[in-house]
């Protein structure tokens, strides 16, 4: 009863938004069983999606599913503990603190890490969408799990802000019961058990149902539902994942036709994406994640090769037949190294310096491989050369995703100490353009400087490196933890 009273007080204090009503669920209702939720089952019909412009979005990652690399200060409080006792994900974070203290710290985090001012800044920079990753436990939490709930009032507050600022929203189920991939970005770094249990599937669908109810209620803000982020095709047959996708599609479409139905490519290459799609789907999007730092070979490439790879990889994505399903790059960044603190998972090293498990030597493209200067966490130490490279690298990605695909979502809107992953910092510092594009074109001298030390013949690279790159990037396009 005490937790319920706290939830009610929280909802009243948090939901000071433009809607007259207080929101769809209370925090307690949001995490209760399916039977206690009012059913909204009549499809609402939908021509509005035909008028959608190009998606230019950012992820609000690390808010409702915390990740160590986005907000390391939440995890650094445990540094005095023995290594085996330091939390590595939200599951162990809440387990270590206990529910009462975890709830206190996370409520402060939910209240402060994203603000209306952040959304206004993003909108002023030309962003028109936000993707909100959410863990299943916001909607369906059992007593034997250490997670805490109470996220929904804060999610609805963001939906209100998005409505006020004209931002469209994609709600993204980022973590499933049992973990869909075993990484910290699922909320639990563990051997995945998601599809091993029908109970897990039913709880996942219950979370999808409640997200869709939010979409119906906040119809002026929510335009997309991603039913699950990064389910791993290495853990389960693609046919089993497709079966879940079809169940989720039927569920969402029984409630509304007015939102995009978004699936992830499960790290399959574009030539296999058709195995994940059913012919009867409408208003569907394929989400693919493109990163260039989570592979032992790719990370050894120089700056020019990284930029060349953008076009090579995008060419294969754009060749996919998009007549039945659009394609959006749901995650990408400006990073080409894995020096970022905790980016490979808390307690793990880097390929760059050769300290990651199973890497026996530094893999950076230089003789001196250190995570300092251009490759450190202090952006004020970045050289002018490196900042120009970041601008060129981002431009090469955006020019393709913006022109050839349905759009993109940058990962992430902000971080504490990961400059290449911080969209707002990139705009502020000039290596990410505003839209309409206001980035100052590089002079010929600047172009020459970027190329001077890097022109390791792209021609010689292409014959041996292109097939490997296509497989590697699409296979490893995830944040390993």
């Amino acid at each position: 009863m005490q937790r319920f009273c706290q939830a009610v007080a929280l909802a009243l204090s948090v939901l000071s938004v433009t809607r007259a009503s207080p929101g769809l669920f209370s925090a307690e209702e949001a995490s209760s069983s399916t039977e206690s939720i009012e059913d909204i089952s009549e499809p609402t019909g939908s021509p509005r999606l035909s008028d959608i412009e190009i998606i230019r979005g950012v992820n609000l990652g690390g808010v409702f599913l915390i990740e160590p690399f986005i907000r390391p200060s939440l995890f650094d409080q445990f540094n005095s503990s023995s290594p085996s006792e330091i939390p590595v994900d939200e599951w162990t974070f809440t387990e270590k603190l206990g529910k009462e203290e975890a709830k206190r710290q996370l409520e402060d985090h939910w209240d402060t890490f994203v603000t209306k001012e952040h959304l206004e800044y993003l909108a002023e920079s030309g962003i028109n969408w936000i993707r909100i990753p959410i863990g299943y436990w916001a909607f369906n939490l059992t007593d034997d799990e250490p997670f805490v709930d109470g996220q929904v009032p804060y999610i609805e507050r963001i939906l209100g802000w998005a409505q006020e600022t004209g931002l469209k929203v994609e709600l993204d189920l980022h973590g499933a019961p049992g973990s869909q991939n075993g990484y910290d970005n699922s909320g639990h770094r563990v051997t995945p058990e998601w599809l091993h249990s029908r109970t897990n599937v039913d709880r996942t669908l219950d979370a999808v149902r409640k997200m869709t109810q939010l979409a119906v209620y906040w119809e002026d803000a929510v335009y997309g539902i991603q039913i699950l982020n990064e389910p791993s095709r290495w853990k389960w047959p693609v046919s089993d994942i497709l079966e879940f996708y079809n169940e989720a599609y039927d569920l969402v479409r029984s409630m509304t036709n007015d939102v995009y139905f978004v699936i992830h490519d499960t790290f399959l290459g574009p030539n296999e994406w058709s195995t994940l799609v059913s012919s009867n789907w409408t208003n569907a999007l394929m989400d693919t994640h493109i990163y260039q730092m989570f592979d032992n070979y790719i990370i050894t490439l120089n700056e020019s090769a990284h930029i060349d790879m953008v076009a090579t990889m995008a060419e294969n994505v754009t060749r996919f037949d998009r007549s039945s399903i659009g394609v959006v790059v749901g995650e990408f960044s400006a990073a080409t190294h894995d020096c970022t603190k905790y980016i490979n998972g808390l307690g793990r090293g880097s390929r760059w310096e050769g300290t990651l498990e199973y890497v026996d030597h530094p893999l950076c493209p230089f003789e001196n491989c250190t995570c300092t200067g251009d490759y450190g966490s202090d952006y004020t130490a970045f050289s002018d050369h490196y900042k120009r490279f970041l601008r060129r690298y981002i431009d090469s990605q955006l020019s393709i995703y913006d022109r050839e695909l349905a759009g993109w979502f940058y990962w992430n809107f902000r971080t504490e100490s990961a400059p290449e992953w911080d969209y707002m910092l990139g705009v502020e510092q000039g290596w990410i353009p505003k839209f309409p594009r206001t980035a100052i074109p590089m002079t010929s001298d600047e172009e020459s400087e970027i190329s001077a030390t890097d022109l390791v013949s792209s021609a010689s690279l292409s014959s041996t490196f292109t097939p490997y790159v296509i497989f590697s990037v699409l296979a490893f396009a995830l944040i390993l933890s």
Side-chain angles (χ1 to χ4, degrees):
M1 177 59 71
Q2 180 181 10
R3 188 174 70 177
F4 175 77
C5 293
Q6 291 171 339
V8 171
L10 174 64
L12 292 173
S13 65
V14 170
L15 293 176
S16 54
V17 295
T18 56
R19 300 182 68 93
S21 56
L24 179 56
F25 318 126
S26 71
E28 185 169 281
E29 289 170 337
S31 59
S32 63
S33 66
T34 306
E35 287 73 16
S36 67
I37 299 297
E38 179 184 358
D39 189 26
I40 303 174
S41 57
E42 184 178 350
T44 55
S46 179
R48 71 173 184 160
L49 296 180
S50 62
D51 296 326
I52 294 292
E53 71 279 20
I54 188 75
I55 295 171
R56 297 185 177 115
V58 296
N59 284 274
L60 301 190
V63 182
F64 302 113
L65 194 163
I66 57 174
E67 297 186 38
F69 96 91
I70 294 174
R71 195 156 192 200
S73 64
L74 286 173
F75 293 83
D76 288 344
Q77 65 181 298
F78 305 104
N79 282 349
S80 61
S81 304
S82 63
S84 62
E85 296 178 346
I86 296 177
V88 296
D89 52 30
E90 185 157 343
W91 177 286
T92 51
F93 175 89
T94 52
E95 188 175 52
K96 178 76 171 178
L97 289 175
K99 285 187 178 287
E100 183 176 352
E101 177 60 15
K103 186 72 169 284
R104 186 192 69 79
Q105 291 194 23
L106 288 175
E107 283 180 344
D108 179 70
H109 169 69
W110 302 332
D111 189 44
T112 60
F113 196 61
V114 58
T115 66
K116 185 179 181 181
E117 289 69 30
H118 292 145
L119 269 58
E120 290 172 340
Y121 181 82
L122 291 167
E124 290 166 3
S125 301
I127 290 298
N128 57 16
W129 279 70
I130 54 175
R131 178 176 181 249
I132 305 179
I134 308 168
Y136 73 89
W137 51 94
F139 305 105
N140 189 312
L141 180 63
T142 59
D143 291 339
D144 61 341
E145 294 172 318
F147 292 127
V148 298
D149 54 18
Q151 298 88 340
V152 170
Y154 293 95
I155 295 168
E156 293 199 86
R157 181 172 70 166
I158 292 174
L159 297 181
W161 292 338
Q163 187 174 311
E164 291 178 12
T165 55
L167 293 169
K168 294 179 174 63
V169 178
E170 176 187 307
L171 297 177
D172 158 42
L173 188 63
H174 217 70
S179 179
Q180 73 275 23
N181 55 35
Y183 303 118
D184 63 2
N185 60 35
S186 72
H188 198 185
R189 199 171 95 183
V190 68
T191 301
E193 298 288 338
W194 172 54
L195 285 184
H196 290 167
S197 160
R198 182 66 212 187
T199 298
N200 287 341
V201 174
D202 288 341
R203 294 182 67 200
T204 306
L205 291 170
D206 181 51
V208 171
R209 178 188 299 277
K210 291 169 183 174
M211 288 201 313
T212 309
Q213 287 180 310
L214 280 174
V216 172
Y217 187 79
W218 290 92
E219 61 181 353
D220 293 336
V222 181
Y223 281 71
I225 296 289
Q226 179 153 6
I227 57 168
L228 190 58
N229 178 72
E230 295 185 349
S232 175
R233 54 103 174 178
W234 295 297
K235 307 298 182 183
W236 297 282
V238 171
S239 58
D240 290 353
I241 297 175
L242 176 60
E243 183 178 345
F244 166 75
Y245 282 180
N246 279 319
E247 283 194 72
Y249 179 85
D250 291 342
L251 172 62
V252 172
R253 288 291 176 251
S254 74
M255 299 167 71
T256 178
N257 293 313
D258 275 355
V259 296
Y260 283 118
F261 175 79
V262 187
I263 64 169
H264 183 256
D265 64 13
T266 74
F267 310 114
L268 285 172
N271 62 321
E272 298 181 272
W273 284 355
S274 61
T275 62
L276 292 167
V277 180
S278 289
S279 59
N280 65 317
W281 292 355
T282 60
N283 296 327
L285 291 175
M286 176 72 74
D287 170 28
T288 189
H289 299 170
I290 301 179
Y291 293 121
Q292 291 195 25
M293 76 298 294
F294 295 123
D295 177 80
N296 291 356
Y297 176 68
I298 297 171
I299 203 167
T300 68
L301 302 177
N302 60 42
E303 292 174 352
S304 289
H306 278 295
I307 290 171
D308 289 343
M309 191 200 303
V310 171
T312 300
M313 188 162 43
E315 180 181 7
N316 289 275
V317 172
T318 56
R319 284 177 178 172
F320 172 69
D321 179 6
R322 301 190 298 283
S323 59
S324 61
I325 187 168
V327 177
V328 62
V329 179
E331 295 183 20
F332 71 103
S333 78
T336 54
H337 64 77
D338 67 340
C339 285
T340 301
K341 184 177 181 179
Y342 303 150
I343 192 64
N344 293 309
L346 196 152
R348 295 173 174 171
S350 71
R351 298 167 185 81
W352 195 264
E353 292 185 318
T355 56
L356 187 65
E357 188 178 12
Y358 306 122
V359 174
D360 59 7
H361 65 281
L363 296 177
C364 84
F366 314 113
E367 287 188 13
N368 183 23
C369 297
T370 62
C371 290
T372 58
D374 288 345
Y375 311 105
S377 60
D378 180 7
Y379 70 91
T380 65
F382 287 178
S383 67
D384 290 341
H385 167 87
Y386 184 61
K387 286 186 281 189
R388 286 193 291 269
F389 163 70
L390 291 177
R391 186 169 68 189
R392 189 175 174 216
Y393 181 56
I394 286 295
D395 272 341
S396 66
Q397 295 184 81
L398 293 182
S399 64
I400 297 174
Y401 307 158
D402 217 65
R403 184 181 69 246
E404 301 289 341
L405 304 176
W408 47 268
F409 291 93
Y410 191 93
W411 190 280
N412 194 35
F413 82 112
R414 66 176 293 218
T415 68
E416 282 186 334
S417 57
E420 295 94 339
W421 298 85
D422 191 319
Y423 191 90
M424 294 196 299
L425 177 66
V427 171
E428 173 192 305
Q429 295 299 311
W431 62 73
I432 296 178
K434 293 184 178 182
F435 290 87
R437 297 177 78 86
T438 56
I440 301 171
M442 285 182 282
T443 67
S444 57
D445 288 343
E446 290 175 335
E447 291 279 6
S448 298
E449 181 187 339
I450 288 178
S451 301
T453 58
D454 297 332
L455 291 180
V456 181
S457 85
S458 297
S460 64
L461 278 170
S462 62
S463 61
T464 57
F465 147 82
T466 298
Y468 179 87
V469 165
I470 294 168
F471 170 78
S472 297
V473 175
L474 291 166
F476 294 96
L478 50 93
I479 300 177
L480 295 176
S481 34

